[in-house]
């Protein structure tokens, strides 16, 4: 067992998306992890109910991934990403496009979901320009959408605290209405019955700006970080239809839903709607080494492949695009997914997961429960005048009881590693039941 880790000074690290002052008064430190559990500095086991941050889909400390990283570090630690290559980046790209829907044949590598979003947005804008359609400069996101924390991502994103501190953001951005309707769809299992017509909001935006100015629409197939908002039946189909009608690219942000979270490799396999660009990260390397990937349709890629062969076709990329260590981790992650059947295992467990989560209906303060694949959300009634406090109290109590959950606003979000067993689902639900019963 790892020895407890202590430090005399927590002040230097300004932690991301964290109540820093609260944390540093009573730190919660992980020092080890294996499969479904973390180990705390005090030696306690905590069941990972969130796959880290939606990313550790295969569970922790997987041997193939550990071995691949160790071997790669000794063999080739870094190779330039511009005008040079190394075999594993090409091997990973080839294997990835075998998993994506037909037609999404080309991939660009990034280092995070935020960078993947920026890459997708820039690709969409540049695509229209190389086609001679440079008047298409507008980008359409959605209220309550989360697309990372870079300027493009927060511009098309729709979570107010992520936007309000940072000035005017990108110009030429508009937003669809979100799809969350508690009045009509509370306690719905899987996709809600009501709300497909919300996709028609895109027609309103097109009428306002004219289709000739709009480059792309970006949505999460399932909005994760805002609290697991599911697309109503027919909603994604309508978005696809409207985009096709007006020559607008459709981008799916699958940083969360990609790599098995819905019980399918990607969201198009679940919903039957294929976008023009897919944005991924997180589960690509099981969260072990930062890496993202952006998949584009062949016609998008081919539109850039003009002009003299010695000229750079697209002036975009990162120092660590296709990094050897990340590529090795990605290849080993795909092997692990395949060996354990994890890209589809969520579909097998989804019915049990659904019944377990919805058994919490009727407990104090619970105003909605939502589920799809191996994702779930429990929405709590906020304390008047103190938003987020009730859910944060639940987070702390669950941690003290040996369960890691994620909270956003007053919503508890769950997305356990795809290796979870039914007994561990029972632990999650039993623990949350106790937490909810004791909440103020």
């Amino acid at each position: 067992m790892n020895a407890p880790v202590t430090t005399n000074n927590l002040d230097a690290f300004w932690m991301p998306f964290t109540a820093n002052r609260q944390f540093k008064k009573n730190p919660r430190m992980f020092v080890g992890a294996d499969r479904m559990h973390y180990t705390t500095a005090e030696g306690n086991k905590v069941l990972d109910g969130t796959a880290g941050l939606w990313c550790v889909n295969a569970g922790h400390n997987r041997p193939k991934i550990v071995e691949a990283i160790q071997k790669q570090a000794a063999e080739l630690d870094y190779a330039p990403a511009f005008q040079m290559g190394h075999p594993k980046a090409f091997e990973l790209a080839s294997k990835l496009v075998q998993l994506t829907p037909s037609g999404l044949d080309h991939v660009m590598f990034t280092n995070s979901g935020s960078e993947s979003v920026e890459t997708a947005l820039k690709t969409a804008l540049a695509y229209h320009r190389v086609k001679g359609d440079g008047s298409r400069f507008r980008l359409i996101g959605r209220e309550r959408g989360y697309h990372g924390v870079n300027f493009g991502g927060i511009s098309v994103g729709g979570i107010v605290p992520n936007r309000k501190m940072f000035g005017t953001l990108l110009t030429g951005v508009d937003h669809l209405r979100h799809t969350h309707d508690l009045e009509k769809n509370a306690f719905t299992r899987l996709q809600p019955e009501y709300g497909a017509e919300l996709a028609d909001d895109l027609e309103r935006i097109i009428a306002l700006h004219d289709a000739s100015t709009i480059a792309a629409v970006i949505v999460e197939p399932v909005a994760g970080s805002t609290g697991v908002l599911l697309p109503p039946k027919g909603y994604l189909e309508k978005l696809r239809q409207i985009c096709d009608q007006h020559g607008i690219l459709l981008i799916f942000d699958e940083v969360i839903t990609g790599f098995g979270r819905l019980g399918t490799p990607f969201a198009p396999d679940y919903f039957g709607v294929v976008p023009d660009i897919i944005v991924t990260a997180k589960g690509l390397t099981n969260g072990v080494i930062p890496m993202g990937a952006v998949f584009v349709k062949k016609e998008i890629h081919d539109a850039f492949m003009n002009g003299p062969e010695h000229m750079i076709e697209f002036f975009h990329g990162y120092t660590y695009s296709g990094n050897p260590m990340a590529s090795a981790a990605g290849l080993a992650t795909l092997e692990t997914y395949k060996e354990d059947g994890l890209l589809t295992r969520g579909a097998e467990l989804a019915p049990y997961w659904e019944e377990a989560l919805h058994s919490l209906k009727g407990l104090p303060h619970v105003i909605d429960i939502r589920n799809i694949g191996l994702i779930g959300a429990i929405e709590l009634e906020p304390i008047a005048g103190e938003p987020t406090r009730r859910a944060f109290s639940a987070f702390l109590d669950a941690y003290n009881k040996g369960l890691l959950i994620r909270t956003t606003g007053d919503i508890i979000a769950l997305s356990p590693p795809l290796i979870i067993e039914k007994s561990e689902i029972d632990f999650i639900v039993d623990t949350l039941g106790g937490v909810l019963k004791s909440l103020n």
Side-chain angles (χ1 to χ4, degrees), residues 96-387:
L96 285 169
V97 298
Q98 293 173 26
L99 295 174
T100 54
S102 177
L104 287 149
D105 299 333
H106 297 276
V107 57
M108 292 178 278
F109 288 123
T110 70
N111 308 292
S112 68
S114 294
E115 287 186 0
S116 289
V117 167
E118 303 295 301
T119 297
L121 298 179
K122 289 175 70 177
T123 301
L125 293 170
Y127 167 70
H128 288 294
R129 179 167 292 234
V130 298
K131 286 204 322 172
D133 204 4
S135 65
R136 291 184 180 267
F137 65 92
R138 296 189 187 278
L139 300 166
I140 310 302
R142 187 168 59 187
E143 295 171 359
R144 295 190 65 166
Y146 180 77
H147 301 293
V149 295
N150 292 348
F151 268 98
I154 61 173
S155 296
V156 295
I159 298 179
V160 174
N162 294 357
R163 294 164 51 87
K164 67 181 182 181
M165 297 286 191
F166 307 111
T168 57
L169 307 181
L170 295 187
T171 59
V173 174
D174 210 333
H175 293 80
L176 300 162
R177 288 183 292 165
H178 66 73
T179 62
H180 192 37
D181 188 340
L182 272 177
E183 184 178 336
K184 291 183 178 178
N185 293 324
F187 298 101
T188 294
R189 299 176 182 226
L190 305 178
Q191 288 184 263
E193 292 289 337
Y194 302 99
E197 71 281 356
L198 290 167
D200 294 332
D201 203 34
L202 181 55
E203 294 281 17
R204 175 188 62 82
I205 291 173
I206 290 170
L208 175 64
H209 298 297
D210 195 80
S212 65
T213 69
I214 299 174
V217 172
I218 181 169
V219 296
E220 301 157 276
V222 176
S225 294
T226 193
V228 187
L229 308 186
L230 278 61
K233 291 178 181 177
Y235 174 85
L236 294 175
E237 292 87 340
K238 276 198 169 189
L239 280 187
R240 176 73 276 180
Q241 179 185 3
I242 296 169
C243 286
D244 285 342
Q245 181 182 345
H246 295 284
I248 300 167
L249 295 182
L250 179 60
I251 304 170
F252 276 3
D253 183 338
E254 290 214 59
V255 171
I256 284 175
T257 54
F259 300 103
R261 181 54 53 189
L262 298 176
T264 57
F266 296 99
D269 306 305
Y270 187 98
F271 295 111
V273 178
V274 180
D276 302 294
I277 300 175
I278 290 178
V279 172
T280 68
K282 294 188 184 291
L284 172 58
T285 58
N286 203 43
V288 175
I289 290 182
M291 192 180 207
V294 178
F295 302 93
V296 303
K297 283 188 173 178
K298 183 178 187 298
E299 52 264 38
I300 295 175
H301 166 271
D302 289 354
F304 290 87
M305 299 301 134
N306 295 299
E309 287 191 2
H310 70 279
M311 292 294 292
I312 295 169
E313 295 97 0
F314 186 28
F315 284 79
H316 176 75
Y318 302 97
T319 300
Y320 303 105
S321 294
N323 173 274
M325 298 285 287
S327 297
L331 286 166
T333 297
L334 292 186
E335 287 182 33
T336 302
Y337 288 158
K338 184 176 180 179
E339 287 183 2
D340 290 4
L342 295 182
L343 295 182
T344 56
R345 189 168 186 269
E348 302 167 20
L349 284 173
Y352 192 88
W353 173 253
E354 177 180 301
E355 291 299 327
L357 284 183
H358 282 271
S359 72
L360 299 172
K361 182 179 180 180
L363 291 185
H365 314 299
V366 175
I367 59 174
D368 191 24
I369 296 172
R370 305 182 283 277
N371 69 282
I372 191 169
L374 279 182
I375 311 175
I378 302 160
E379 186 159 352
L380 307 178
E381 185 177 14
I383 297 172
E386 296 184 281

